[in-house]
Amino acid sequence: MSTLVEDNAAEHRFEILIDNALAGFSAYLPRGADVLVFTHTQVDPHFQGRGVGGALIRGTLDQVRARGGTVVPQCPFMAAFIDKHPEYADLVAEHP
């Protein structure tokens, strides 16, 4: 199974593709040059319960870190993921 997380900037969302099929996404609103406000995460029902949501958020946060950005996790799924994975806590914007 091939998995890829990529930023679809035109749609303002990070997408996870499994075997070239869209399996889920995490939508954001850009704020300034390097802050992304994440508002909603959705996983296709066919892929739920298989760790796809966690893989999507991990891939998203890794890419945000690589580009030197920060996040505002308004999405409850992303906020819960960061709470459970404190290695990503430094990516949360201090003053959203």
Side-chain angles (χ1 to χ4, degrees):
M1 178 167 59
S2 169
T3 303
L4 173 70
V5 175
E6 60 185 10
D7 183 6
N8 182 341
E11 296 287 329
H12 296 290
R13 66 190 196 177
F14 280 82
E15 300 173 340
I16 187 164
L17 303 173
I18 298 179
D19 295 332
N20 294 319
L22 180 64
F25 65 88
S26 191
Y28 64 83
L29 300 170
R31 182 183 294 160
D34 59 357
V35 178
L36 299 178
V37 179
F38 284 87
T39 57
H40 178 70
T41 299
Q42 184 173 320
V43 173
D44 184 291
H46 293 95
F47 294 100
Q48 290 179 355
R50 302 200 298 192
V52 172
L56 168 61
I57 298 301
R58 186 177 302 280
T60 296
L61 294 174
D62 287 346
Q63 289 185 47
V64 170
R65 174 174 278 139
R67 59 173 87 155
T70 57
V71 302
V72 178
Q74 289 182 351
C75 165
F77 187 83
M78 178 178 276
F81 183 91
I82 292 171
D83 284 346
K84 291 177 187 168
H85 299 88
E87 65 269 24
Y88 291 108
D90 63 310
L91 293 177
V92 177
E94 291 185 23
H95 301 289

